Amino acid sequence: MSWWLVSCCPSKTVDDWFKGCSGLCPKRIHAKAWSSLFFATVWTVWKARNGMVFRGKEVDFIVAANMVKFRVVWWFKHYGKGSTDAVTTILLNIKDCCTKSTMVKQRSLGTWIPPSLDVLKFNVDGAVRGSPGQAGMGGGGGVLRNSRGRVLCLFSNHLGISDSNSAEIMAIHKASEICASKPDFIGRDIVIVSDSMTAVTWVNDRSFGSVKHVNLIYKIRGNLIKLGKTVVIYNSRASNSFADMLAKKG
C-alpha cells in the first residue's frame, strides 16, 4: 500500500482486505487498478509458495514485491484498459497514472449494527437481474454473524428464473433452514434480517402473499417454531449490503 502512497489499517482477514481494496477508489477506471493490486499480491504469494514447497526455491521478498508491481501495471494497462501510457511510465508514476488527484477513500458498506451479546444476526437478501416486475435470473445471499461481527456462516445461491419477492422469500427460507439444521442453534436468540418489507410481512402475518409462496412460508414458519426464539424482522438496505453482495454473486 505504501507503493501507492496510501496508509491504511491492516485488515484482519483476506476477505476484509479484498473488500477494502475494491472500494478504495470511487472512479471505475482507477478502481480496476486497486482491485488488481489485491489479485496480483495474492497470486504472487501463491506462486512463491508453490516454488518453495514443490521446487525447494527460496523466497526473495524484493523480487516478489517487484513482481506484484509489474503484474499490477501489466493487468491495469492491457486487461483493465485503464491507461494508454507505456508500462515503464505507469510503473514509475503509479500514483499519477492510476489515482490521479482523486481523493482515495474507503467505500461505505452500510451501517451494520451488531446484535446484543449471545444473539446471532442473519442478514439475508434476494436479487434479480431483469426488468422491474418481471421474472429474471435470481440469486439469494445471507451472512450469519455474532455480537463481535464474526462470520459464522454465509451462503450465495443461484435461484434460476425468479422474481424479486420470490428471491427474498427463498433467501429467508434458506437462512431459517440452515439454522434449524444445527442442533446448537435450537433455542438460541437468532434474528433473521431482510430488507424486503413485503417478504417479512408475508412471513409474520396471517397472509401468505401469492399462492406460489405458501409452501415456502409454511416451511419458514415451521423452522421458526423448531428454533424457538428465532424471529424475522425488516431493516433498511443500508445495513444489508454484505447480504446484497452475496445475492448478486448468486
Side-chain angles (χ1 to χ4, degrees):
M1 299 300 288
S2 61
W3 178 44
W4 295 70
L5 305 181
V6 171
S7 298
C8 66
C9 296
S11 301
K12 292 183 178 180
T13 67
V14 175
D15 181 60
D16 289 339
W17 184 35
F18 169 70
K19 288 186 288 186
C21 280
S22 63
L24 276 170
C25 200
K27 285 193 175 182
R28 182 176 297 179
I29 291 178
H30 303 151
K32 289 180 180 180
W34 283 104
S35 296
S36 69
L37 179 60
F38 170 85
F39 291 112
T41 303
V42 172
W43 180 248
T44 301
V45 171
W46 179 251
K47 295 285 285 183
R49 176 261 181 199
N50 285 349
M52 181 180 67
V53 172
F54 298 113
R55 295 185 293 278
K57 289 186 175 181
E58 292 186 6
V59 177
D60 187 322
F61 290 100
I62 295 178
V63 172
N66 286 329
M67 283 302 300
V68 170
K69 294 179 180 181
F70 276 109
R71 283 177 172 141
V72 168
V73 170
W74 195 259
W75 292 350
F76 177 64
K77 177 175 174 59
H78 293 281
Y79 294 100
K81 298 180 181 179
S83 176
T84 57
D85 295 324
V87 169
T88 52
T89 301
I90 301 174
L91 187 62
L92 293 172
N93 304 284
I94 191 70
K95 189 173 187 296
D96 291 334
C97 290
C98 296
T99 63
K100 306 296 183 184
S101 59
T102 305
M103 179 174 21
V104 176
K105 62 181 180 179
Q106 178 70 40
R107 179 194 301 159
S108 172
L109 293 177
T111 303
W112 180 80
I113 302 175
S116 303
L117 190 65
D118 296 328
V119 176
L120 304 178
K121 181 180 284 189
F122 212 142
N123 290 88
V124 300
D125 200 5
V128 174
R129 178 176 296 169
S131 300
Q134 297 181 1
M137 300 308 296
V143 55
L144 177 67
R145 289 170 283 196
N146 61 16
S147 58
R148 293 180 296 173
R150 180 184 177 188
V151 175
L152 305 178
C153 169
L154 55 82
F155 67 89
S156 181
N157 288 350
H158 175 65
L159 303 176
I161 301 298
S162 180
D163 58 78
S164 58
N165 287 330
S166 296
E168 298 285 355
I169 288 292
M170 284 189 273
I172 295 174
H173 172 254
K174 182 64 176 179
S176 69
E177 193 175 50
I178 290 172
C179 293
S181 68
K182 304 295 182 183
D184 292 345
F185 287 170
I186 305 299
R188 289 286 303 272
D189 288 313
I190 304 174
V191 180
I192 299 176
V193 183
S194 169
D195 60 15
S196 170
M197 179 68 78
T198 300
V200 172
T201 300
W202 288 348
V203 169
N204 291 322
D205 289 355
R206 292 182 179 181
S207 62
F208 290 90
S210 62
V211 175
K212 64 181 177 181
H213 299 126
V214 171
N215 288 336
L216 268 182
I217 293 177
Y218 263 123
K219 290 178 180 178
I220 293 171
R221 292 179 181 178
N223 289 333
L224 297 181
I225 291 172
K226 180 180 178 180
L227 288 163
K229 295 183 179 180
T230 300
V231 296
V232 180
I233 66 170
Y234 165 81
N235 209 335
S236 65
R237 184 175 298 275
S239 64
N240 227 32
S241 55
F242 194 175
D244 176 63
M245 177 190 70
L246 292 170
K248 289 176 180 175
K249 290 290 185 182

